[in-house]
Amino acid sequence: LKFGIIRFPGSCDDIDAQLAASRVGEAVLLWHADHDLQRVDAVIVPGGFSYGDYLRAGAIARFAPIMQEVAEFARAGGLVLGICNGFQVLCEAGLLPGALLPNTSLKFIFRQVQLDVADPDTAFTNAAPAGRRLSIPVKHTTGRFYSPDPVDVVLRYAPGHNPNGSQDDIAGVRNEAGNVFGLMPHPEHAVDPLTGSTDGLTIFESMARTSSSLASPAGAGLGGDVDAGVPA
Amino acid sequence: MRARVLVRPKAGILDPQGQAVERALPALGFSGVSNVHVGRLIELDVDDPSQLPAMCDRLLSNPLIEDFEIVELAGASSIASSAGSSASGSASVGSELPGSH
């Protein structure tokens, strides 16, 4: 499994994402101004402050040259993971539903949170231990998820752990087809006992598991019906 | 043409910035203030003002969470608003600034 991690001007979690992904596969950095995904099997849009987060978080990065290729890759069923700022970028790009608003507290928050896996059958959570909570850090100012329409929830903040006022405690959502996933917590910062938790590895291991099942003749490892195609 | 784009949080979406300002004003002795909302102001020179609504839809605002209003400063009138009801109010804003660019 070859991961491609996009580096925008202002990305700051690209190297951690690369390190985390390299625990389960190969991981290369992709430059925002290129039109080349280097034949990767999965794309990660990392955390940070792409293009300074000017105007709105993710609003300008969604028009980066490489995002055209990411959108095509996603429509073709490729696995796309957006973390924090990457989640914001994917929402702005219309690849995921909803939007991220400023935290209710208006403060930057940085803490470990407990997450419940709302859907353990997705391409990004199918390696999650049944019934176990995930301990993963959040660090953001604009993480209050909002959607006027129902969404496919993958991760929720455990009761009492909602750090930002997110609607229905939503921490992560997927697209209808199931191949694009965004979350505010940072699984790439929870892959080594040194930093207190390895629960974040579950996300990358799930992607590896999904990718190998897709590559096999039996195919069909995604949570949704990818053949149905283009997300709205 | 000089234009001004006003971007507001959509009605019904929690606006903690507006709430914070609303709570701060009484602390300074200003009473009787309510319904405070904080938005964003974008001013720009544009050759073809007919493109402004598309600019607002695609970049200047996020239609899911924000309403926008376009004020043409030279023409002193509001040409488009995603919120609908506020166009008349903005016309006077424009007419107060006839000399702008």
Side-chain angles (χ1 to χ4, degrees):
Chain A
L1 174 62
K2 183 179 175 185
F3 290 89
I5 295 97
I6 298 176
R7 171 178 280 176
F8 299 102
S11 293
C12 62
D13 297 325
D14 43 344
I15 297 298
D16 269 23
Q18 186 182 23
L19 284 169
S22 66
R23 300 289 179 97
V24 301
E26 186 188 349
V28 298
L29 291 174
L30 305 174
W31 184 237
H32 73 113
D34 291 342
H35 280 285
D36 182 8
L37 292 186
Q38 298 184 26
R39 306 174 68 87
V40 296
D41 304 301
V43 169
I44 299 176
V45 189
F49 303 84
S50 55
Y51 293 87
D53 274 353
Y54 298 140
L55 195 62
R56 289 181 310 279
I60 307 217
R62 68 153 293 200
F63 295 108
I66 204 166
M67 287 305 294
Q68 291 176 27
E69 278 66 35
V70 173
E72 285 167 23
F73 181 78
R75 288 193 191 100
L79 294 181
V80 181
L81 167 65
I83 303 169
C84 196
N85 191 225
F87 185 13
Q88 295 161 342
V89 172
L90 295 176
C91 285
E92 283 281 341
L95 294 173
L96 285 172
L100 283 312
L101 291 159
N103 299 343
T104 309
S105 66
L106 296 174
K107 293 190 169 91
F108 175 81
I109 48 163
F110 179 24
R111 72 174 79 129
Q112 201 79 7
V113 294
Q114 303 296 312
L115 299 168
D116 286 331
V117 180
D119 186 349
D121 297 321
T122 76
F124 304 86
T125 52
N126 56 29
R132 213 185 78 195
R133 285 195 172 154
L134 306 178
S135 176
I136 293 178
V138 293
K139 45 164 192 154
H140 60 249
T141 308
T142 307
R144 174 167 48 115
F145 183 81
Y146 166 82
S147 172
D149 305 309
V151 294
D152 295 304
V153 181
V154 178
L155 294 175
R156 280 200 167 83
Y157 301 108
H161 280 263
N162 186 336
N164 51 33
S166 189
Q167 173 183 315
D168 298 329
D169 294 334
I170 290 171
V173 302
R174 65 170 174 86
N175 66 343
E176 207 174 326
N179 63 307
V180 182
F181 170 49
L183 75 170
M184 286 313 296
H186 287 265
E188 82 281 21
H189 294 332
V191 299
D192 195 295
L194 180 70
T195 54
S197 168
T198 58
D199 290 352
L201 270 178
T202 293
I203 306 297
F204 303 96
E205 287 166 351
S206 298
M207 293 173 74
R209 181 182 291 193
T210 301
S211 182
S212 62
S213 73
L214 282 177
S216 72
L222 295 182
D225 47 341
V226 171
D227 291 341
V230 185
Chain B
M1 140 82 58
R2 186 76 177 156
R4 173 177 293 165
V5 174
L6 304 169
V7 181
R8 302 181 173 85
K10 261 192 194 304
I13 294 183
L14 180 68
D15 174 16
Q17 282 195 86
Q19 290 181 339
V21 172
E22 190 168 321
R23 284 194 301 269
L25 287 169
L28 296 173
F30 298 103
S31 61
V33 179
S34 58
N35 289 316
V36 178
H37 290 287
V38 176
R40 191 164 55 242
L41 167 68
I42 301 158
E43 289 184 330
L44 62 168
D45 292 325
V46 57
D47 291 338
D48 179 4
S50 71
Q51 294 182 332
L52 280 166
M55 292 181 199
C56 289
D57 270 330
R58 295 196 60 206
L59 178 62
L60 301 183
S61 77
N62 180 339
L64 204 59
I65 51 174
E66 295 166 330
D67 289 325
F68 65 83
E69 181 183 340
I70 298 165
V71 182
E72 291 190 13
L73 295 178
S77 67
S78 172
I79 60 164
S81 164
S82 65
S85 60
S86 50
S88 60
S90 62
S92 62
V93 173
S95 63
E96 288 164 14
L97 297 160
S100 291
H101 231 64

